[in-house]
Amino acid sequence: MGSNSFIPHGHCYLWKPELVGLHIISDVLIALAYYSIPITLFYFVHQRKDLPYAGIFLLFGTFIISCGTTHLIEVWTLWHPIYWIAGFMKALTAGISVYTAASLVPLIPKALALPSPAQLEIANRKLETEMIERRHIEEQLRKSQQMLQLVMDNIPQFIFWKDRTSVYLGCN
C-alpha cells in the first residue's frame, strides 16, 4: 500500500487557501513551541545537577518532541499522502506518552514528600534562630567560665576538683 493510493490531505480542505493556511500556521507554530519546550527542559536538567527525578523531565521532553514531529508531518501530508508514516509517528508518540504517564504515577508521592520552598524557608529561619541562640549561650558560658577562673585564681586557699571517678580535673 504505497502513498500513491491516497490523496493529499489538502483535498479534504478543498485546497481553500485560508483553511490550508490556518492548518499550516497552527501546526508549524505548535511544532516550534513543542521543540522549544524540550530544549528548555534539557537545559534545566543539565544545569541542575541536584534535580530530583531528572529522568521524568527528559521523558516529558522526548514526549513533547514526538508531539511536535506529528504536527510537522501533518503539514507535510497536506501535499504528500504519507499517512502510514503519520500513523507510525502517532503510534510512537502514543507509546512515549503512555510510558511517560506510567512513569509519572509512582513519582507523585515521592515528589509530594519533598519539602516545599516555603517549608525550607521556615526551617532555615528556625535554624538561624537556633544558631543565634546557641552563640549567645556559648558567649554567656565563656563569660561565666572566665569569672569562675578569675575567682578561683584569686582565692588564697588551694582548690582542686575531681570527676566522679576521683580523677583530678583541675586546680587553682
Side-chain angles (χ1 to χ4, degrees):
M1 244 190 223
S3 63
N4 293 337
S5 60
F6 298 111
I7 59 172
H9 210 122
H11 283 292
C12 297
Y13 302 142
L14 303 175
W15 295 111
K16 292 189 176 193
E18 56 281 341
L19 186 56
V20 171
L22 173 65
H23 283 270
I24 291 171
I25 291 170
S26 298
D27 281 324
V28 167
L29 288 176
I30 290 169
L32 288 174
Y34 277 3
Y35 287 147
S36 70
I37 293 168
I39 290 169
T40 307
L41 288 175
F42 293 146
Y43 174 78
F44 180 69
V45 168
H46 179 70
Q47 293 300 313
R48 287 293 306 261
K49 303 294 185 203
D50 64 338
L51 182 67
Y53 319 118
I56 199 69
F57 287 88
L58 300 176
L59 270 176
F60 271 109
T62 304
F63 157 65
I64 294 169
I65 286 172
S66 67
C67 289
T69 303
T70 61
H71 283 278
L72 289 181
I73 290 174
E74 288 299 313
V75 171
W76 189 254
T77 60
L78 286 169
W79 293 278
H80 306 281
I82 55 167
Y83 299 125
W84 283 103
I85 294 172
F88 286 127
M89 189 64 217
K90 286 182 180 178
L92 176 66
T93 301
I96 295 169
S97 302
V98 169
Y99 183 77
T100 302
S103 298
L104 185 61
V105 171
L107 290 182
I108 294 299
K110 295 175 186 176
L112 288 173
L114 293 173
S116 71
Q119 290 170 317
L120 290 174
E121 180 65 30
I122 290 168
N124 280 337
R125 273 193 249 123
K126 183 179 176 187
L127 284 173
E128 286 174 6
T129 302
E130 288 175 5
M131 287 171 50
I132 291 168
E133 185 178 318
R134 180 182 177 131
R135 281 189 213 117
H136 179 70
I137 291 170
E138 287 173 349
E139 182 60 28
Q140 287 177 330
L141 178 60
R142 194 171 18 263
K143 286 179 182 179
S144 175
Q145 287 173 332
Q146 287 172 348
M147 177 60 81
L148 180 60
Q149 188 65 47
L150 182 66
V151 168
M152 288 195 315
D153 288 344
N154 289 301
I155 292 178
Q157 287 80 21
F158 182 65
I159 299 173
F160 63 90
W161 57 95
K162 306 186 237 180
D163 67 9
R164 291 182 180 181
T165 60
S166 295
V167 174
Y168 287 96
L169 298 176
C171 66
N172 63 348

